[in-house]
Amino acid sequence: MDDLAARRCAAVLGIPVRGTLGIVLIAKQRGKITMARPVIENLRSSGMYLSDRVINQALALVGE
């Protein structure tokens, strides 16, 4: 499914949307993973574009 189309559909239906990075941060906060950094680095090395600024802000939110 096209990501943009799915996000628009969710918005119309009032369904909250979380991206991949948001899911990683929630997993860290809920104790499902011990560290977010290795997961984020793996996503990045697999081709997901994440700027250094975004990564640093995300990691700061979960105390890393």
Side-chain angles (χ1 to χ4, degrees):
M1 175 180 266
D2 181 290
D3 189 55
L4 181 58
R7 287 176 180 270
R8 286 181 177 158
C9 183
V12 168
L13 296 172
I15 300 169
V17 176
R18 298 231 193 280
T20 303
L21 188 56
I23 298 298
V24 172
L25 299 182
I26 290 170
K28 163 70 179 194
Q29 291 169 334
R30 294 184 180 176
K32 303 297 181 184
I33 58 175
T34 57
M35 295 193 64
R37 181 180 298 275
V39 177
I40 293 170
E41 288 174 356
N42 189 300
L43 289 168
R44 192 181 212 187
S45 68
S46 297
M48 183 176 192
Y49 175 76
L50 295 166
S51 71
D52 290 336
R53 183 178 65 79
V54 168
I55 290 173
N56 291 334
Q57 288 175 337
L59 291 174
L61 289 172
V62 293
E64 287 188 42

